[in-house]
Every structure is written in C-alpha cells, then in structure tokens.
Amino acid sequence: MITGPAIEAEGLVKVFGTNRAVDGVDLRVEQGAVYGVLGPNGAGKTTTISMLATLLRPEAGAARIFGHDVVAEPNVVRQLIGVTGQYASVDEKVSGLENMIVFGRLLGLSHREAKRKGLELLESFGLADAAKRPVGKYSGGMRRRLDLASSLISQPPLIFLDEPTTGLDPRTRGQMWDVIRGLVEGGSTVLLTTQYLDEADQLADRIAVIDRGKVVAEGTADELKGMVGTSSLLLRVADAAQTLVAVAAVEQVLGTTATVTPEAARVTAPMTDPERVTDLLIRLREQGIRLDEISVQKPTLDEVFLTITGHTAETADEAAEDEEVAA
Amino acid sequence: MTALIETRPAVFPTQLTKHIGLRDTVSQTFTMAYRALIRLRRTPEQWADVLLMPFIFTFMFAFLFGGAIAGSVSDYLPALIPAIIVQGVVQASVVTGTQLREDMDTGVFDRFRSLPMARIAPLAGALMTDTIRYAAITALTMLVGALIGWRPGGGWGIVLAGLLVIVTAWAVSWIWALLGVTARTAGTVQGIAMLIMMPLTFFSNAFVPTSTLPDWLRPVADANPVSHLITAVRELTISGTVGWDVLWTLIGAVVIVAVFAPLTVRAYIRKA
C-alpha cells in the first residue's frame, strides 16, 4: 500500500473548439474516500474524469493518480483504475459473459480465469441468469451493473464512476449506492460524478461543486450547506391555539422572524445560534406550551447549488433527461 | 431481486509496468480478434453479402459477358475468376473501415482505452479477423467457378494466388482503417471508399482485355495496381507462374502498409 492522496489534480484544462469544457480544475482525493463531483450537465464532469482516467490529454495542468502522472505514465495509471462511464462501455452485440471474458483476457487473465472471474462477478451483480444473453437485450439497470462489474475485474484501488445512477429507477439506484459503499469498505477510493444533489449528500465524504469547467466550491456536505448559512428550527405546537404565543416567544428569544403554517401549527425560524435554542425551550416550558415535534432543518444541497452558481441544478437535470429521451 | 451485491476488496497491483511488451501486445491482439469473431457469430447478417457476392458476381459476369468477350463462358472463366476474386476481396476490405468506425462509436472503445493494453491491439485485432473474410470470399469464388466449369491448371499456384490476394487485401484495408479512424460516420467511409474502388476495379484488366480500351485509357488501366494483382493471380492460377506482377503487387502492398499503418495508428492513438 502506498501513502499520499489517490488523486491530485492541479489546474486541469481541456478546450473543445471555443468551449473551455474544463477550465482549471484542482482536486485532491484522499485514499479510501468517496469523492463527489457535483454539477449540471455540461459542467465539465465527464471531461475531468476522462483526463484523470487517461482517456483525454489535458491541455494544461497536471494530474497524478497514486503519485503517477496521467500524461507521463498512462499505462501505470490504467493499472490502478476502473472506469464506468455515463453510457455503458460494454459490447452490445455479445453476451455479458463474453464481454467479461474479453476484458479479463485483455487484463492478462487466461481464458479460463477470465471466465471464472466473469461468472463470479456476474453472479454477485445479479446477472448470472443473463450471462449468456446479448447485452443489447439488457435493461438500462442491468447494463449499468454489467458495466460496473467489468470495471471491477482487476479489483482496482481507484474507481471512477461517471453518473452511475443517471436514468436508473429508485430501487436500482439504491442498489448502486450499496455497491459503492461496499467498494469503499473493501478499501477502494471512489470518485463519482452526479447531477443528483442527494446522491452526493448520501455517498460522498467530500464534494466538489463544478460549474462551467470550474470548481466553484469544495468541502464536506455539511461545510457546503454551512456556506449557505443558517439552518432552520422547526417546532410543532401541540395545541394549535397556542401557536401565536409560541411565535412571540421564538421571536423574543431568537431575535428572528418566525413563519407559521396555520394548518399544521408549525413554526419555522432561522437558527443562527444553537445556544439560544436551549433558552427558547426553557421559555416555552415556563409558558406551558407543549411541543409535538422539534427538528432542525439544514439547507439542502439544492439551495447550496443555487447560492453558489446562481442557477439551480434542477433545470440542468431536466435538460439531461430530455437528451436521454432523444438519444 | 434481493441479492446483496458483494464486492471484493481492492487489490493494489504489486508490479506496475510502464510499457506493454511485445508478448502482451500479441496476446491482446489475439483477444481483440477473438472478440471480432464472437461478434461475427452474433451478427451473421454481416456475412450475408460476403457469402452471396461470389455467387452473384461469378454467375452474372460469366453468363452475361462470357460469350461477348471470350467467345464462350468456359473460355472466359480463367480470366474472370481471378478478377471476381480480386474485386470481391478488395471491396470487402472496405468493411474494415466501416466496422472500425461503428465499433469506435460504441462505448466499449472507451473501456479499451482505459485498460492497460497496447493501443494498437484493437486495430490489429480487427484487421486480423478480416483476413478470414478475405479467405472465405477467395475460396467461395473458386468453388463457384469450379461448379460452372473453371479448371485452373496452376496446381500450388492456386494456393499462392489465394494467399497473395489475402495479403494484398489486408494491406489495402489499412487505407480504409485510416479512413475509419478519422471519418465522422461509417457512411462517410463507405461513400468515399466506393468512390475510389469503383473506378479502380473497373478501369483495370478485370473484365475486359485492356487492348480493347481507347488509347488514353489503356496506359491507365495497365498501370492500375488492381490490374497487376489480377494478372498475377491469373498467371498463378492458369499455369502456376510466379511473374513480375507478383513482385509488383507485393511491393505495392508493402508500400501501402508502410505509409498507412503508421498514419492509422497515430490517428487512432490521438483519438484514443
């Protein structure tokens, strides 16, 4: 095992014509982490991964995978990574098993070993029944699983997942998340790109928000949410008649304006200083106001995205879905 | 499906190699050829034209032109069969380019590029499998010819003729491979290739004696590399003679490979 970060990238640039697809991206991914690259379609996520995975040559900047430069030692880097693309990189015309055999043999396994390992992986990805069927007849989720399975033949220490769940139904998406968590437990480092904010939130230890080829924010999910500022305090008053009294207490103690949803007797107020919540609760007890529910709501990554980039990720999401339908 | 997907722990390779050795390159080329073969088995329709062309062309040309050009069908066959073989195989070499383009458009090439494998293996593998196609066309055309009365007297020369055709077609397929790697679509490759191949195969000694051509066209047809190949094949099949045309053809093949193989590989690697 070696020390140092799994990925180090400084000032990566890739220009397509006049479009600066990636415009100076810095990344640092520690070993054993799940690192999320979050951004809308066309933000430069795939291009960044392609450069890190030696598929594209950066025009400026440098990147090292476990200390090996992607331009100077591409073959070494390729021995350390597995890549699962946004669109399944498998052969549609032949069967799942035949795909695995070809990839396994290219990785230096004998025909027999490649077949054994292929069957094993297909089995663990729930594709054993479909092993002999042509991939063209697979569903989207099956294809994605096969794609990931073929990236894992050599059990690489670093795995790139480019939008691993785009276009998958919620159940299959949940399975994919489990696989990713399993990979990290096994000691792999995972870099995943996603348009889904909750996916990055669920899986990633650290997140880079990327927009128009630049990293516009970086940190843990909590840090990013912290950038948008305050969390909200949510109270549900047991006796709806007491709601207004509660509001008065909140405004007095927290010093902020509270909003009320009448039907649910719910009071929401921005929470700047958690210390004061204790004071508020004591005050409510003194006034004999009973609470059914109390919770703190952190800002969602959607809000983070809007704050940082000035536009939402959702609009880009829809555009991406349209594209997929058209394609 | 309730199966929990189990993943295996990561393995950090103990030995990292900077370059791929010749042995690995060869074995990866064979793997790519194996892949092309299993693809062929899955898509037999791609072979339909290869298998039907020799029948259709041999029958058509033999019975249409046999009487007019050589007096009778059986007198025309010794000249015609080599021409049909060469034409069929050279046309089939275009498929190398179109299939390469189609193949590169599918996502699977992204995976090949991300694997620690020789960059040339996908190209070399594809070209290797194509020789099987050429061999099939050559053998089938000879068979059809024999059925309708072709009796070549060349002995082992016939085998040599077959090999010469296959080697030449393999060399020519590098041209289409370059086109395949650089063109935008498979249709483009097909279109450009047809534009080149139609005049090249017909303005030759393939179907008519060049002595019947107008003065300005005759030198063109005589100098046409396709004419040299056809003459070489005729001499080999008719009498087993290894003439100058065999040498010219082989020199031509070497030149084509020397020029186009490096260009193709470079273009492929740049794209890859």
Side-chain angles (χ1 to χ4, degrees), chain A residues 4 9 16 22 28 46 80 160 184 204 237 316:
Chain A
F16 295 118
V22 173
R28 189 188 160 91
T46 303
L80 299 169
F160 292 103
V184 176
V237 183

Side-chain angles (χ1 to χ4, degrees), chain A residues 55 73 75 78-79 83 89 91 93 95 98 103 106 111 120 124 132 147 151 155 157 175 179 182 186 188, chain B residues 1 5 7-11 13 16-18 20 34-35 39 41-42 107 111 113-116 119 272:
Chain A
L55 298 177
E73 301 177 276
N75 199 55
R78 288 178 196 130
Q79 288 163 66
V83 188
S89 329
D91 200 330
K93 289 193 177 151
S95 76
E98 284 165 339
F103 299 141
L106 289 174
H111 188 91
E120 217 176 85
S124 61
K132 298 240 161 82
D147 198 30
S151 306
Q155 294 164 249
Q175 282 175 351
V179 175
S188 298
Chain B
M1 192 189 64
I5 296 167
T7 48
R8 253 152 286 277
V11 175
L16 292 166
T17 45
K18 278 197 176 182
I20 291 149
Y34 164 79
R35 166 176 176 269
R39 276 169 68 90
R41 217 185 53 213
R42 294 273 176 184
R111 179 167 307 283
R113 291 194 297 233
S114 74
L115 293 177
R119 305 287 91 181

Side-chain angles (χ1 to χ4, degrees), chain A residues 1-2 54-55 66 68 73 75-76 78-80 83 88-91 93-95 98 101-103 105-107 111 120-121 124-126 132 134 145 147 150-152 154-157 171 175 179 182-183 186-188, chain B residues 1-13 15-20 27-32 34-35 38-39 41-43 46 102-103 106-119 121 271-272:
Chain A
M1 206 60 206
I2 62 154
T54 75
L55 298 177
F66 296 106
H68 297 281
E73 301 177 276
N75 199 55
V76 172
R78 288 178 196 130
Q79 288 163 66
L80 299 169
V83 188
S89 329
V90 287
D91 200 330
K93 289 193 177 151
V94 305
S95 76
E98 284 165 339
I101 292 175
V102 168
F103 299 141
R105 282 179 58 172
L106 289 174
L107 283 163
H111 188 91
E120 217 176 85
L121 274 164
S124 61
F125 276 76
K132 298 240 161 82
R145 292 207 300 271
D147 198 30
S150 19
S151 306
L152 301 180
S154 63
Q155 294 164 249
R171 194 189 58 162
Q175 282 175 351
V179 175
L183 288 171
S188 298
Chain B
M1 192 189 64
T2 52
L4 271 172
I5 296 167
E6 276 178 47
T7 48
R8 253 152 286 277
V11 175
F12 205 94
Q15 267 193 318
L16 292 166
T17 45
K18 278 197 176 182
H19 299 286
I20 291 149
S27 106
Q28 285 155 6
T29 301
F30 273 96
T31 303
M32 291 305 290
Y34 164 79
R35 166 176 176 269
I38 49 180
R39 276 169 68 90
R41 217 185 53 213
R42 294 273 176 184
T43 50
Q46 284 187 349
E102 278 174 3
D103 216 7
T106 62
V108 72
F109 261 73
D110 280 341
R111 179 167 307 283
F112 294 144
R113 291 194 297 233
S114 74
L115 293 177
M117 62 185 279
R119 305 287 91 181
K271 286 226 167 179

